[in-house]
Amino acid sequence: MALAAAGPDELAASLSEAGRPLWARELAAYRLGLAGDRRAFEALVLLLNHRDPPRCEAAAQALAVLGDPRTARAAAALATNELRTAYALHPVRLLAALRAPESAPALIRTLSRLLAPNDPYWRVALACVEGLGALADRRAREVLVRAQSHPRLAVAATAALRGLEPGQDSVLQSQSPLP
């Protein structure tokens, strides 16, 4: 069966068909996700947790379009799983894009854990900071203040903190000396 021309039912059937290679399941799940077919949900969540970043990114894109109400909960579970931190970048970014009630608490929890000295997952931490900045959730203030002390996170954390205060940019600009 040519998956590029397959209809939704054929694509859904291929997700559980024995002997189907991963790339074929990925293509079927991606196409179903973009079409809003919730039969792709489980396969897309598995791909979101894959060790291959392009697979994770494609799954995140399809899950964002899919609109399944379970997506934020699944992304939060993946982002906060301490054993899978190396693969949490795309779930973190997806949480920020979804702007769901689970998003800010999961990003705060994940970032808090990643602020330990010499933590190797600074890219995931940076995605958390950027996501919290986009969400502008005041509950993130304390963890963003702590993130300012990390050299790779300081600029983004400062920008995110500015976004928590409406009108803060104009106050900062008015305090800067004129040239």
Side-chain angles (χ1 to χ4, degrees):
M1 165 178 55
L3 288 177
D9 290 336
E10 292 171 293
L11 292 171
S14 74
L15 292 176
S16 59
E17 195 174 290
R20 183 69 67 175
L22 179 60
W23 67 264
R25 293 173 198 260
E26 178 184 10
L27 177 60
Y30 183 76
R31 287 196 50 221
L32 285 169
L34 292 182
D37 191 321
R38 292 191 179 167
R39 292 178 288 182
F41 177 77
E42 287 84 5
L44 289 171
V45 170
L46 288 172
L47 290 165
L48 182 64
N49 193 34
H50 199 276
R51 67 179 173 266
D52 184 31
R55 283 197 164 104
C56 297
E57 185 175 356
Q61 289 171 356
L63 282 164
V65 172
L66 182 60
D68 191 297
R70 301 171 291 175
T71 300
R73 205 169 354 139
L78 293 174
T80 58
N81 184 337
E82 294 181 34
L83 300 175
R84 302 294 294 172
T85 303
Y87 311 110
L89 182 63
H90 294 288
V92 163
R93 289 179 177 162
L94 178 58
L95 280 168
L98 292 173
R99 305 184 74 80
E102 298 89 345
S103 296
L107 295 180
I108 291 167
R109 181 175 165 199
T110 302
L111 179 58
S112 293
R113 185 180 79 244
L114 297 176
L115 292 178
N118 302 317
D119 188 276
Y121 303 112
W122 66 269
R123 285 180 179 88
V124 176
L126 181 59
C128 288
V129 169
E130 292 168 346
L132 289 168
L135 295 173
D137 189 309
R138 293 180 186 269
R139 295 175 291 180
R141 175 174 301 290
E142 185 270 328
V143 74
L144 289 171
V145 167
R146 288 191 307 144
Q148 284 182 304
S149 67
H150 290 261
R152 290 180 166 162
L153 307 177
V155 172
T158 300
L161 283 165
R162 269 195 216 115
L164 296 181
E165 297 296 328
Q168 187 64 26
D169 287 335
S170 60
V171 171
L172 292 174
Q173 290 173 357
S174 68
Q175 292 177 350
S176 60
L178 296 174

